[in-house]
């Protein structure tokens, strides 16, 4: 009999399934990489900001040195832009790192973590990695049922994840509802408010979660620079919480979790308000382009506040995989969401106008 390494709860983890890489699809389907359209990972279709590229080129000169472990300049830039003290900031290797740090710092094996059905795939992963017990609360209209989530909290619950907007459904919860939820959650439970897509919210939806941080010691707001800031490949995100919680997260953080190039690029991107505005603009226009076509084609979709749209491509549970394959054969990569329990749906990241058009043409073929 062979030895089984590690705890049962680690062996039980199903690996994260990301968007298929362009090179892999080109190889598998015999396609030209240059003609493949990837709308699968909620990446920024504008690419990275030029300002970040320039900052990275300058930072290249110093790559024999370790990064600044405390990210002094990057924290100063975050501090200035968002009006939060530096001792409230945790830097992460992507905001994924922040989610994991929270689970590792707060949850012991057997303790509970609450999150919603149809919410971000990393919440179960982070929970299982520490032997936590997941309490998955059924969604309402594909979004968070915050009242049920508050009611689901047990004495041994240590963490609650809330994504706003949510991935993969794009659903949005308004400020009043979130703040009422934060007030309803017991003080010993930390709420991670995951705002990876907050930069795409329209002016009516916007709210100031960072102001809540100074009021609620158990709130951790998580932000990503992978989406609207266009830096997914560099892995950079950050968490904002009061100093006591921030200190805890920083104790278990890898000393050099954010590399020098990422720090330099992030500082430039935070200053590049023109790029951020253009990202939001291109996204809003792409959303119109896609949803207008979906309406014309009679395709059901969920109204989305993010940079992606979830569409229903059939009424049988093979539909998502079938239409996904038909799209791949035409060189269009989107995201099947069967692993989220949504086998009739596909998630489409919003691209540039020509990419959206190529996807729509391929979708029409696939459904014909
Ligand atoms: C994309 C995403 C993240 C993490 O992105 P990073 O690249 O790790 O910053 C976090 N939460 C949600 C809901 C996401 O969709």
């Amino acid at each position: 009999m062979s030895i089984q390494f590690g705890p049962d709860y680690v062996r039980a983890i199903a690996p994260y399934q990301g968007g298929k890489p362009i090179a892999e699809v080109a190889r598998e389907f015999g396609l030209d990489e240059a003609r493949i359209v990837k709308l699968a990972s909620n990446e920024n279709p504008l690419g990275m900001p030029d300002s970040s590229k320039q900052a990275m080129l300058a930072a290249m000169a110093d790559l024999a040195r370790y990064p600044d472990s405390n990210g002094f300049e990057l924290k100063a830039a975050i501090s200035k832009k968002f009006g939060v003290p530096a001792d409230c900031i945790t830097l992460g290797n992507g905001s994924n790192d922040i989610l994991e740090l929270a689970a590792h710092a707060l949850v012991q094996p057997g303790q509970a973590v609450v999150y919603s059905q149809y919410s971000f795939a990393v919440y179960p992963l982070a929970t299982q990695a520490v032997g936590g017990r997941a309490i998955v609360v059924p969604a309402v209209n594909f979004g968070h049922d915050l009242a049920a989530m508050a009611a689901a909290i047990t004495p041994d619950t240590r963490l609650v994840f809330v994504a706003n907007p949510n991935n993969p459904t794009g659903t949005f919860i308004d400020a009043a509802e979130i703040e009422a939820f934060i007030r309803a959650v017991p003080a010993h439970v930390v709420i991670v408010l995951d705002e990876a897509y907050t930069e795409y919210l329209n002016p009516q939806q916007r709210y100031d979660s960072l102001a809540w941080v100074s009021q609620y010691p158990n709130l951790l707001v998580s932000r990503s620079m992978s989406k609207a800031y266009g830096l997914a490949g560099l892995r950079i995100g950050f968490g904002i919480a009061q100093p006591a919680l921030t200190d805890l997260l920083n104790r278990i953080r890898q000393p050099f979790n954010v590399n020098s190039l990422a720090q330099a690029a992030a500082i430039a991107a935070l200053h590049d308000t023109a790029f951020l505005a253009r990202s939001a603009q291109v996204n809003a226009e792409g959303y119109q382009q896609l949803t207008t076509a979906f309406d014309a084609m009679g395709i059901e979709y969920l109204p989305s506040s993010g940079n992606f749209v979830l569409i229903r491509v059939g009424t049988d549970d093979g539909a998502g995989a079938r239409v996904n394959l038909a799209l791949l054969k035409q060189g269009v990569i989107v995201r099947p969401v069967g692993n989220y329990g949504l086998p009739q749906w596909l998630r489409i990241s919003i691209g540039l106008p020509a990419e959206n058009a190529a996807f729509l043409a391929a979708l029409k073929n696939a459904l014909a």
Side-chain angles (χ1 to χ4, degrees):
M1 213 178 79
S2 66
I3 299 169
Q4 292 210 302
F5 296 109
D8 292 346
Y9 59 79
V10 171
R11 280 197 303 271
I13 293 174
Y16 178 81
Q17 296 175 323
K20 259 178 168 324
I22 289 176
E24 187 180 310
V25 172
R27 258 193 323 270
E28 267 181 41
F29 295 89
L31 299 166
D32 175 4
E33 274 191 37
R35 296 194 46 201
I36 289 177
V37 170
K38 185 184 177 207
L39 302 174
S41 299
N42 299 347
E43 294 148 342
N44 196 318
L46 294 171
M48 71 186 291
D50 272 334
S51 54
S52 292
K53 216 173 284 179
Q54 295 311 316
M56 285 170 68
L57 287 172
M60 292 261 288
D62 252 345
L63 288 183
R65 307 261 178 221
Y66 278 101
D68 176 357
S69 159
N70 289 313
F72 179 84
E73 285 185 43
L74 176 52
K75 283 188 188 172
I78 293 168
S79 186
K80 184 152 178 271
K81 186 175 172 90
F82 299 105
V84 293
D87 64 356
C88 292
I89 301 168
T90 305
L91 300 180
N93 192 259
S95 63
N96 198 318
D97 196 15
I98 302 296
L99 308 178
E100 283 190 19
L101 288 174
H104 281 277
L106 300 166
V107 183
Q108 289 179 19
Q111 292 181 328
V113 178
V114 172
Y115 52 85
S116 177
Q117 181 188 25
Y118 309 138
S119 198
F120 189 39
V122 167
Y123 306 157
L125 287 176
T127 302
Q128 289 164 10
V130 297
R133 184 164 54 80
I135 298 178
V136 185
V137 177
V140 167
N141 295 328
F142 297 92
H144 293 70
D145 182 347
L146 290 184
M149 288 177 72
I153 290 171
T154 53
D156 72 343
T157 297
R158 292 294 175 272
L159 194 58
V160 182
F161 287 111
V162 175
N164 200 41
N166 186 44
N167 174 21
T169 61
T171 51
F172 174 73
I173 317 161
D174 71 36
E177 274 185 78
I178 295 178
E179 200 184 0
F181 174 74
I182 296 169
R183 269 198 302 265
V185 169
H188 74 277
V189 178
V190 169
I191 301 145
V192 176
L193 182 56
D194 179 353
E195 298 184 331
Y197 302 95
T198 201
E199 298 82 9
Y200 295 108
L201 295 181
N202 67 43
Q204 293 80 10
Q205 293 173 312
R206 285 185 188 284
Y207 59 97
D208 188 1
S209 56
L210 300 181
W212 294 337
V213 166
S214 51
Q215 258 178 288
Y216 302 102
N218 60 336
L219 177 63
L220 168 61
V221 173
S222 160
R223 297 277 176 90
S224 174
M225 299 198 68
S226 300
K227 309 319 183 350
Y229 290 101
L231 301 177
L234 282 170
R235 313 306 303 128
I236 171 84
F238 53 93
I240 310 281
Q242 288 191 13
L245 182 51
T246 300
D247 175 63
L248 199 67
L249 299 179
N250 276 282
R251 280 167 197 253
I252 58 162
R253 178 178 67 78
Q254 275 186 43
F256 304 105
N257 64 331
V258 180
N259 70 70
S260 311
L261 295 182
Q263 291 189 33
I267 293 165
L270 287 168
H271 289 134
D272 198 337
T273 51
F275 182 86
L276 198 63
R278 205 149 60 88
S279 295
Q281 175 74 15
V282 164
N283 190 64
E285 289 168 7
Y287 182 77
Q288 279 307 320
Q289 180 187 1
L290 289 174
T291 54
T292 302
F294 296 150
D295 286 335
M297 294 166 73
I299 290 178
E300 184 182 349
Y301 61 90
L302 299 183
S304 174
S305 298
N307 66 345
F308 53 89
V309 190
L310 196 66
I311 66 170
R312 193 176 190 182
V313 292
T315 52
D316 64 282
D317 286 352
R322 188 171 62 238
V323 174
N324 182 56
L325 182 62
L327 291 171
L328 284 173
K329 286 178 177 164
Q330 300 175 80
V332 175
I333 314 174
V334 300
R335 184 70 73 91
V337 282
N339 58 327
Y340 283 92
L342 295 162
Q344 303 179 358
W345 301 74
L346 291 174
R347 193 194 67 191
I348 321 302
S349 302
I350 298 169
L352 296 174
E355 295 173 319
N356 298 331
F359 156 71
L360 289 167
L363 181 65
K364 279 177 191 151
N365 282 332
L367 294 176

